[in-house]
Amino acid sequence: MGGKSKSLFRLSMVMLLSLSVVLSGCSGNNNANTGKNNNSASAAGGDGTAKVEPFEISFYIGEAGQQPTPDNKVYKKIKDELGATLNFEFLAGDSEQKLGVMIAGSDYPDVMTSNTKLVTAGALIPLEDLIEQHAPNLKAHYADFWNMMKDPNDGHIYTLPNYGVYNGKVNSTWYSGPAFWIQKDVLKEFNYPKIKTLDEYFDLIAKYKEKYPTIDGSPTIGFEILNNDWRNWGLFNAPQHLIGHPNDGGVVVKDGVAEIFADKDYSKKYYQKLNEINSLGLLDKETFTQNYDQYMAKLSSGTVLGMFDQHWNFQAAEDSLTTQKKDNRTYVGLPLVYDASTKDYYRDLGALNLNNGFGITVNAKNPERIIKFLDALMTEDWQKTFSWGFVDEDYIVNEKGRFMKTQEQRDNFADATWKLANKADTLFKFMPKTEGSFSDGNSTDGAAQPEEYQAGLKEFDKEVLAAYGYNSYVDFFSEPPANPIYYPAWSIDLVDGSDAKIANTKMNELSSKFLPKAILAKPAEFEQVWSDYTSEIGNTNVKAYEDRINTIIQQRITDWSK
C-alpha cells in the first residue's frame, strides 16, 4: 500500500472511531453533507436535541478581509452543532507593524494565522501533545508529515499547515500558483498564439494596447507589478522561473545548493526588460505606489492586460470580473521563459505549507477545546460543507453519486457578496483541510471535479481551450516533476534576530528600493542603477543568509527522509 493510500486508510479508520468522541455535533456518516443538524448520540439529550456548551474563539487573520454576514449559514451551523462562535479580526495596514504591536503588548487572540515572528516571540503554544491527546483526526491527517511540521530549532509543532496534505486521486483543473498572466481577450484578438517567451508576451501586450488604448472608457494598463507589504513576489520572484526553476523564494537551488538570484545577470535581464516596457508606456504609472486593494480594484475593472502574480492572490478580482460578465477580461497563466528551449517549471506538486495555517496562542483560555473544535472540522461532513456547501442548496448529487452544480449555483460561488453569507472562506482558507478526493471519490475542490469543471465552463472559455487543444487552463503548464525532499526553500525559518534574517530583510529593502528605481529609470541610466543595486547587495551578509538556507536544506534531507 503506497504512502498516500495508507494515509487515506488511517484517516478513514480514525475518523470512524472518533465520531462519537470528538466535539459534539460531528455529523453522521452520510455520503453527501445535508447541512442539517446530524448530531451524534453523545451530543443529544433524551429528546434528540443537541446539548452543546457555547463558547467563543477569537481569530486574527494576517491579511485584509471582510467580515461574514451575521446570518452566515456555515457559521450558524458551526454554532448550532459545535457551540462555537467565531470572532475574526483582519489585518488593516502593515503586517509587520501590527505583529510588532501585538508582540510588544502580548496582546493575542485565541488563534492566529501563523508567522515565524510569533514563534520566536513565544506567542504560540506547542501543539503536538494536544494533538496526540485530543485530536485523532488531525493526527491522522498529518501522520506522514509529523517530522516536517516540527520547528527545526526546538522540535515543537506550532502551526497546523493549511495546504499540502492529499488523499485519494488529485484532480487538477485550476492552477493556483505563479505565472505571467494575460487577459484572454488579448489572446483572442490575435487568434490564440502560443506564447512561450517573455519577449513574445510583451510584444503581444504592446500590440493590443496600441489597438485598444481604452477599455470600457478607462485607459488600458499593459502590465502591473504588486510589491506591497509581504506580497513582494510580484516584483522579486519572476527571474527564477524565467530560467526554468520552481518557486524557492529568494534562492535558486541547484544540485541541493542554494544561492540568491537577486543580483545575477538573469535577474538583470528581466528588470531591464521591465525598464524597456516602462519606456514604451506599458507599465502602470502607479504600480509602485499602490496598495493591494488598489491593485485588486484595477484588476477587477478589466483594464489590466497582464501581471506576474500567484493566482490565489487575485482570485477575488477574477470572481468580480466573472460576476460582471467580463469573462473575456479574466486571465490565462503563461509559464514564460527567456528561451523557448527551456522547460518551464512553474507548476509544482503541492508541498506542505509549513509557515501558514493556524496557531494557538499563549492567551487562549481553553486550548484543549480549540484543538477539539479544529479536529471536529476534519470530518468529511464538515469538509464537504466548507468546500461544496449544503446539498440541494449549493450543489446537487447526481444518480452516480457525483457532486455537481446548477449554473445558478456556479454563479453564486463566484459572487463575493453571496459568499459572505453562505461560505466560511476565511476559516477554511487557513484551517487544516483534506485535499484530493473524499472517500466517495468526489473531489475536495468543486472547481477540480472533472465533469463539474467541464459543465461549468463558459462559452468563451470553451473557445479559448478549444483553440489550444486543452482540457483546462492547467494544461498551459508542463507537468511538475517530483518535489525535491527539501522543497520549497521559501518555507525555511530564518529565525528572527539572526544574521540570516537581518541579511534577508536588508536585501528585501534594497530590492524594494532599487528595483523600482531601475525599472522607472531612463534606459540610458539603467546600468548605473543596477550597478549601485548589486554593490549594495554585495555589502550585505549574503553568506549568512545562504548558509542558513543550505543548513536547513541538508537537515531536511536527513530528517524528512526518515
Side-chain angles (χ1 to χ4, degrees):
M1 187 180 290
K4 295 300 179 186
S5 300
K6 287 188 286 187
S7 294
L8 180 58
F9 177 76
R10 281 198 300 269
L11 180 60
S12 301
M13 290 302 295
V14 174
M15 285 167 59
L16 179 65
L17 292 170
S18 64
L19 280 174
S20 64
V21 297
V22 293
L23 275 183
S24 60
C26 294
S27 297
N29 59 356
N30 299 327
N31 285 333
N33 165 44
T34 64
K36 299 175 183 177
N37 194 326
N38 295 325
N39 293 306
S40 62
S42 63
D47 59 357
T49 58
K51 290 184 178 179
V52 292
E53 181 183 348
F55 68 111
E56 295 188 5
I57 308 176
S58 55
F59 289 81
Y60 171 75
I61 307 298
E63 64 180 36
Q66 289 182 276
Q67 294 288 348
T69 61
D71 61 346
N72 179 287
K73 68 185 182 185
V74 180
Y75 292 115
K76 182 180 184 301
K77 176 181 170 72
I78 288 173
K79 184 175 182 179
D80 289 347
E81 297 189 16
L82 301 180
T85 297
L86 312 185
N87 301 313
F88 295 104
E89 177 189 356
F90 295 91
L91 171 66
D94 181 81
S95 62
E96 295 295 308
Q97 183 179 14
K98 174 65 175 178
L99 286 175
V101 171
M102 296 174 85
I103 290 169
S106 297
D107 182 18
Y108 312 117
D110 298 318
V111 179
M112 296 182 68
T113 48
S114 193
N115 186 290
T116 55
K117 285 183 177 294
L118 296 172
V119 176
T120 302
L124 302 181
I125 63 171
L127 300 176
E128 61 272 13
D129 289 344
L130 283 171
I131 295 171
E132 294 274 12
Q133 296 170 24
H134 305 293
N137 296 328
L138 287 172
K139 183 59 193 289
H141 179 66
Y142 293 122
D144 290 342
F145 304 92
W146 199 246
N147 286 336
M148 293 185 185
M149 293 164 60
K150 293 179 180 178
D151 185 277
N153 301 302
D154 63 18
H156 288 303
I157 294 173
Y158 294 101
T159 303
L160 301 174
N162 54 345
Y163 289 102
V165 180
Y166 295 87
N167 290 296
K169 182 180 179 182
V170 179
N171 297 304
S172 297
T173 55
W174 192 85
Y175 175 67
S176 65
F180 282 88
W181 300 88
I182 193 166
Q183 266 194 13
K184 294 167 186 171
D185 201 66
V186 179
L187 299 176
K188 177 181 173 66
E189 181 66 31
F190 299 107
N191 198 29
Y192 300 110
K194 288 198 172 182
I195 306 299
K196 180 74 172 174
T197 69
L198 190 67
D199 288 338
E200 292 169 341
Y201 173 80
F202 282 122
D203 287 348
L204 204 65
I205 285 175
K207 286 168 61 179
Y208 189 93
K209 187 175 186 296
E210 182 179 8
K211 191 170 183 178
Y212 300 101
T214 63
I215 294 175
D216 297 333
S218 297
T220 302
I221 297 171
F223 193 71
E224 280 286 5
I225 302 171
L226 177 66
N227 179 35
N228 178 238
D229 197 10
W230 55 274
R231 291 180 170 93
N232 56 23
W233 58 80
L235 179 62
F236 294 178
N237 281 16
Q240 62 189 323
H241 296 297
L242 289 165
I243 62 169
H245 279 262
N247 179 17
D248 269 310
V251 295
V252 162
V253 183
K254 299 177 181 177
D255 299 322
V257 179
E259 66 174 8
I260 68 164
F261 61 85
D263 58 348
K264 301 299 185 288
D265 284 345
Y266 57 84
S267 292
K268 176 184 178 182
K269 183 176 181 179
Y270 175 61
Y271 297 110
Q272 193 153 25
K273 185 66 179 181
L274 294 183
N275 174 270
E276 176 189 323
I277 69 141
N278 178 62
S279 69
L280 295 174
L282 298 181
L283 187 65
D284 179 18
K285 291 181 172 58
E286 298 174 338
T287 199
F288 294 123
T289 58
Q290 66 190 349
N291 61 29
Y292 176 67
D293 290 339
Q294 293 166 326
Y295 168 81
M296 290 289 280
K298 288 179 181 176
L299 267 57
S300 300
S301 73
T303 60
V304 178
L305 302 183
M307 64 281 180
F308 175 85
D309 201 350
Q310 300 196 28
H311 201 179
W312 62 267
N313 189 50
F314 68 91
Q315 182 184 359
E318 275 207 316
D319 288 345
S320 174
L321 290 166
T322 301
T323 301
Q324 297 173 63
K325 301 190 183 305
K326 294 182 178 181
D327 300 312
N328 62 320
R329 301 296 175 195
T330 58
Y331 296 91
V332 174
L334 301 177
L336 302 181
V337 288
Y338 286 132
D339 188 314
S341 64
T342 300
K343 185 178 180 180
D344 63 273
Y345 194 169
Y346 286 69
R347 184 180 167 207
D348 58 11
L349 297 176
L352 193 68
N353 202 13
L354 289 173
N355 293 335
N356 209 341
F358 285 137
I360 300 175
T361 77
V362 293
N363 290 1
K365 300 177 185 64
N366 197 333
E368 180 180 315
R369 191 157 193 192
I370 292 171
I371 205 73
K372 286 182 176 180
F373 166 74
L374 293 172
D375 191 67
L377 298 184
M378 285 305 303
T379 59
E380 278 205 354
D381 184 73
W382 280 107
Q383 291 288 305
K384 288 175 180 177
T385 298
F386 287 119
S387 57
W388 283 91
F390 290 61
V391 71
D392 296 330
E393 292 181 40
D394 305 322
Y395 69 101
I396 56 178
V397 183
N398 68 17
E399 65 281 358
K400 296 180 180 179
R402 301 294 289 172
F403 295 178
M404 300 286 290
K405 295 174 188 170
T406 65
Q407 190 54 53
E408 180 183 0
Q409 289 167 340
R410 294 183 192 109
D411 292 342
N412 285 340
F413 269 68
D415 187 315
T417 302
W418 180 88
K419 289 199 287 188
L420 289 175
N422 296 278
K423 295 278 287 175
D425 283 354
T426 294
L427 178 64
F428 191 50
K429 180 176 181 179
F430 294 102
M431 64 176 260
K433 61 183 63 65
T434 301
E435 294 178 83
S437 299
F438 293 119
S439 60
D440 58 14
N442 283 291
S443 174
T444 59
D445 177 8
Q449 185 94 317
E451 60 268 56
E452 169 58 24
Y453 175 80
Q454 293 296 326
L457 280 173
K458 303 293 181 65
E459 289 304 315
F460 188 84
D461 290 300
K462 290 179 182 178
E463 176 187 330
V464 175
L465 291 171
Y468 288 99
Y470 294 152
N471 293 317
S472 78
Y473 289 107
V474 172
D475 294 339
F476 279 83
F477 299 82
S478 293
E479 284 287 328
N483 290 335
I485 194 167
Y486 65 81
Y487 183 80
W490 58 256
S491 67
I492 291 173
D493 180 13
L494 299 178
V495 184
D496 272 359
S498 70
D499 289 343
K501 182 72 171 183
I502 293 169
N504 183 56
T505 300
K506 180 64 175 176
M507 285 189 287
N508 285 346
E509 290 172 351
L510 290 171
S511 295
S512 292
K513 174 184 176 181
F514 279 97
L515 292 179
K517 188 177 179 182
I519 292 165
L520 300 177
K522 295 177 180 179
E525 298 171 354
F526 177 85
E527 288 288 348
Q528 185 58 54
V529 178
W530 185 261
S531 178
D532 293 342
Y533 169 55
T534 54
S535 293
E536 290 288 343
I537 291 285
N539 290 331
T540 64
N541 194 354
V542 174
K543 186 177 185 302
Y545 171 71
E546 291 179 340
D547 283 352
R548 171 64 178 176
I549 298 290
N550 283 310
T551 296
I552 301 302
I553 283 176
Q554 294 306 312
Q555 184 176 324
R556 287 180 173 183
I557 290 171
T558 300
D559 294 346
W560 292 5
S561 299
K562 295 176 181 177

